Amino acid sequence: MLIFGDTQFKGGNTAINAKMLAKGLGTSATNIDTSHGDLRGRRSATTVHTLVGYGSTQQQAIYRMGRETASDTLYWLAFTVDVDFARSLLANDPTERTYGTGGNFLKPAYTDNTFLGSTPYPTGAYWMGVPAPGSGMTATVATEGTGNNETRSYVSTFVRYNGDESAPGPATELICKGGSTATLTTFPADPSSAHGVTGRNFYVSTGGDFRLIGSNLLADTTFTDDGTRGVVLQTGGDSSKPAWVEPYDGMIGLLELWNGMHGGFYQKQYGVCVPYNPHAWPVQYRRQVPDRIVGTARFGQSWVLATTGLPRVVEGRAPEGMQDKPINLREACVSKRSVVSVDHGVCWASQRGLCYYGTNGKPRVLTEYVVTPEEWRALVPSTIIGAHWRGWYIGFYNDGTRKAFMVNTMAPEDGIVWVNQGAYATFSDPLSETLYLLDSGNTIKKWDAGTVGNLDYTSRIFRQKSPTNVGAAKVIATAYPVTFALYADGALKATVTVTSDEPFRLPAGYLADEFQYRVYGGTGPIEGVFGGEEIEDLP
């Protein structure tokens, strides 16, 4: 009689009784790759670069610039604490404008590829926002015109070297005849050089929109309004154009949204920027939620806020229309870095398991029927750093040793795979479809790119109708050797080094009700594992 025979292999499951697991599920699956339909070892992560310029201080976050060219070595930014980065959404962006929040930044920051001179990168950065002028100006008539009297309102803005413009400062009024030229002086104090501001724009209104009349450099002390009228001021000035104020200093969680928008959060507040202008965050585009936001990610045009209470989803086509609503899943997020987009949804770690909201089924805890709550908490979920790779959620955790687990987000019922590879940080590069890890010694490793490692898989328990004996077994594999171990009623009965697909005999002299096998030590692939009372029972 054939007692067990497996020809398909999935992950491990310890939440369900081992005697009731579905076919292919085991009680433990470590360093295995089941994507080929068989059982084989997973490729290790291989070192491709070592960070330069950071000494012996272990970094905790990485980001790569130079994103238009696939590279394992250029240009890595690293930080000692968690940071968030997002790129500009401009269609034409030759300087690769890059924005960051959190970490070593005292407040949100901006850099670009002009600061990629030498390691450590970048060699420079500015604060993300551009402050508004703090005062008005002095306006006097230079040459009187001949028209009717009019009241002019003059405002100035600060302009960064790349064109980023601030909200306008206070208005200065001048009553003069139409057609007059005017001289502007006594300009507002220059902002800190940390903002990268190089000049000013000047605008005037005679009752309607403010229109551009010209620009000068910070070093200039006067400006003449000669009657030129240009584009309408967009950075503030009336109720339809909210002031382009700086992002709030504590803002973190920066990410790229849709329709030119970026999002970020601070405590219970989230907000979006003016489309295509990540330096501008009007107060009118900010919202409050009941619970502190821990981390965020997006899928499609849905922005998920994982909080200390009910998670929420934010949707809307434009900044003024962004609205949030609660997600019916009372699972508080315990790790900001666990919050990850998985294309069709968002996952985050709670105290109960790996949570999910998206289009692939109802909001739920993906690992609820895969690992027990006690086993999940033993991972120290507050340490989880999440990554998305080819449909899998990979959670790097630290329970005293840095390791990882993998869950198929489309089929979480296929179990969990444990991996003996940890990480301090991750970076996903869409151009090369590569997941990079920051490992100890500030090494950058490429996931699933090294040699195939040894697999380790323990089957479910096979319960028999009456006591029997597994007298023979067979392992069909492409590559040998592999070690086979047999357990009967929980006790180890045999350990065999298998070198071919020939059947082999196992110890007799006992009867048992329950059997379980383990295969380990080889790289596979293994296509089948069989056990029977006699050799003749094996396929």
Side-chain angles (χ1 to χ4, degrees):
M1 180 181 70
L2 184 67
I3 295 174
F4 56 80
D6 280 337
T7 56
Q8 62 175 323
F9 304 91
K10 300 178 182 179
N13 186 312
T14 50
I16 297 175
N17 189 316
K19 306 167 194 175
M20 303 177 70
L21 291 176
K23 188 174 183 179
L25 285 173
T27 58
S28 178
T30 303
N31 292 332
I32 70 166
D33 178 0
T34 60
S35 61
H36 302 275
D38 51 32
L39 179 62
R40 63 179 69 188
R42 173 160 295 282
R43 291 186 180 276
S44 64
T46 187
T47 300
V48 294
H49 184 61
T50 299
L51 296 176
V52 177
Y54 298 95
S56 60
T57 302
Q58 177 63 53
Q59 301 299 295
Q60 304 289 329
I62 53 173
Y63 178 84
R64 194 179 78 82
M65 291 185 68
R67 297 271 298 280
E68 299 304 317
T69 301
S71 174
D72 294 333
T73 60
L74 296 176
Y75 297 90
W76 288 104
L77 284 60
F79 300 87
T80 56
V81 286
D82 178 42
V83 294
D84 303 293
F85 281 100
R87 290 186 61 176
S88 159
L89 296 175
L90 293 172
N92 182 22
D93 181 24
T95 62
E96 193 178 353
R97 301 183 187 192
T98 302
Y99 304 84
T101 61
N104 303 57
F105 303 127
L106 299 176
K107 53 185 179 179
Y110 160 87
T111 192
D112 58 37
N113 61 24
T114 64
F115 294 107
L116 295 179
S118 60
T119 56
Y121 308 114
T123 56
Y126 294 114
W127 299 138
M128 182 189 294
V130 181
S135 63
M137 302 166 287
T138 298
T140 57
V141 174
T143 301
E144 189 172 46
T146 58
N148 296 327
N149 285 347
E150 63 184 16
T151 299
R152 300 180 184 176
S153 292
Y154 288 100
V155 296
S156 67
T157 63
F158 287 127
V159 183
R160 187 146 48 204
Y161 68 92
N162 64 358
D164 288 347
E165 188 172 11
S166 75
T172 295
E173 290 195 350
L174 175 67
I175 300 175
C176 61
K177 291 185 178 296
S180 296
T181 62
T183 300
L184 302 179
T185 59
T186 319
F187 298 141
D190 296 347
S192 165
S193 60
H195 293 280
V197 170
T198 57
R200 301 179 180 86
N201 283 345
F202 299 96
Y203 298 83
V204 68
S205 169
T206 56
D209 290 326
F210 281 91
R211 290 191 172 272
L212 180 69
I213 58 176
S215 307
N216 70 7
L217 300 176
L218 287 182
D220 296 333
T221 57
T222 64
F223 178 83
T224 299
D225 174 11
D226 61 4
T228 299
R229 300 295 182 262
V231 297
V232 173
L233 172 68
Q234 297 297 314
T235 66
D238 61 51
S239 58
S240 67
K241 300 182 182 68
W244 289 19
V245 299
E246 300 174 78
Y248 26 105
D249 286 355
M251 187 180 77
I252 57 175
L254 186 68
L255 80 168
E256 300 149 13
L257 295 176
W258 52 89
N259 296 342
M261 295 182 291
H262 286 73
F265 70 90
Y266 175 68
Q267 298 292 344
K268 295 182 178 181
Q269 185 178 90
Y270 70 90
V272 296
C273 72
V274 175
Y276 304 103
N277 289 275
H279 70 285
W281 296 76
V283 174
Q284 291 88 337
Y285 297 167
R286 304 176 189 180
R287 305 284 188 273
Q288 297 284 131
V289 295
D291 302 292
R292 181 175 63 85
I293 303 167
V294 179
T296 73
R298 60 157 283 198
F299 68 99
Q301 293 193 9
S302 296
W303 179 18
V304 175
L305 313 178
T307 77
T308 56
L310 276 177
R312 307 184 78 85
V313 59
V314 182
E315 295 173 330
R317 299 182 63 184
E320 60 273 15
M322 301 295 275
Q323 297 292 331
D324 62 90
K325 60 183 179 182
I327 296 170
N328 189 27
L329 180 66
R330 193 171 294 278
E331 292 295 329
C333 180
V334 296
S335 170
K336 173 181 177 293
R337 302 177 78 185
S338 73
V339 187
V340 171
S341 170
V342 293
D343 292 341
H344 52 82
V346 168
C347 291
W348 68 95
S350 75
Q351 285 290 4
R352 190 155 66 100
L354 182 65
C355 304
Y356 171 84
Y357 172 79
T359 59
N360 186 37
K362 66 180 182 180
R364 62 198 187 279
V365 179
L366 296 182
T367 55
E368 185 171 20
Y369 301 108
V370 176
V371 294
T372 67
E374 294 76 19
E375 289 168 327
W376 175 261
R377 287 192 291 270
L379 305 182
V380 193
S382 61
T383 68
I384 291 175
I385 301 168
H388 176 235
W389 182 77
R390 298 181 184 177
W392 294 82
Y393 180 97
I394 307 176
F396 297 92
Y397 64 96
N398 184 3
D399 62 356
T401 303
R402 293 185 182 275
K403 291 169 286 189
F405 65 85
M406 300 177 64
V407 174
N408 186 333
T409 59
M410 291 297 292
E413 65 277 5
D414 284 352
I416 192 166
V417 174
W418 305 99
V419 184
N420 295 328
Q421 171 66 58
Y424 290 87
T426 70
F427 176 77
S428 181
D429 192 332
L431 183 62
S432 61
E433 295 188 345
T434 299
L435 174 63
Y436 292 98
L437 314 179
L438 175 63
D439 209 342
S440 58
N442 292 328
T443 56
I444 303 292
K445 292 186 174 182
K446 184 185 290 189
W447 177 261
D448 194 56
T451 58
V452 178
N454 289 335
L455 60 87
D456 194 336
Y457 177 85
T458 303
S459 73
R460 65 195 187 277
I461 293 176
F462 299 88
R463 174 76 178 180
Q464 305 305 301
K465 294 181 178 180
S466 59
T468 187
N469 171 262
V470 176
K474 182 178 182 179
V475 177
I476 299 176
T478 300
Y480 298 93
V482 62
T483 302
F484 170 91
L486 178 70
Y487 298 84
D489 289 344
L492 178 63
K493 292 296 184 180
T495 301
V496 180
T497 299
V498 184
T499 59
S500 73
D501 61 0
E502 291 298 317
F504 51 91
R505 294 195 177 276
L506 295 169
Y510 72 91
L511 297 176
D513 295 304
E514 298 173 350
F515 296 92
Q516 189 175 30
Y517 70 84
R518 177 189 176 197
V519 285
Y520 63 98
T523 60
I526 295 174
E527 292 88 23
V529 181
F530 305 91
E533 292 178 321
E534 303 290 343
I535 287 181
E536 292 76 13
D537 298 324
L538 304 177

